[in-house]
Amino acid sequence: MVMRFAGTMVIASVALAHFISPWWLLLALFVGANLLQASFTGFCPLARILAKLGLQPGCAFQK
């Protein structure tokens, strides 16, 4: 679910940058930076939020 959400945000960011304003690329930069830090630290804020909502973690973020 985390990867699906991140992918959706990147695609939306690129589309918004193309049609509205290049400043929307900052959203893609934020998502990419968060994915990069999560790969090193194992901490993903979205994974924690989804866990609190009752979704089971995927194999990428299991403890």
Side-chain angles (χ1 to χ4, degrees):
M1 189 69 185
V2 171
M3 303 305 173
R4 187 178 303 156
F5 184 81
T8 302
M9 288 294 98
V10 170
I11 291 169
S13 173
V14 171
L16 288 166
H18 178 73
F19 291 110
I20 297 175
S21 169
W23 286 102
W24 280 104
L25 290 174
L26 291 175
L27 176 60
L29 179 66
F30 173 76
V31 171
N34 193 38
L35 285 169
L36 185 63
Q37 73 81 25
S39 73
F40 286 110
T41 66
F43 172 74
C44 178
L46 180 60
R48 294 218 175 173
I49 291 168
L50 293 174
K52 288 185 181 188
L53 292 175
L55 276 88
Q56 296 297 321
C59 60
F61 295 104
Q62 288 180 346
K63 292 181 181 183

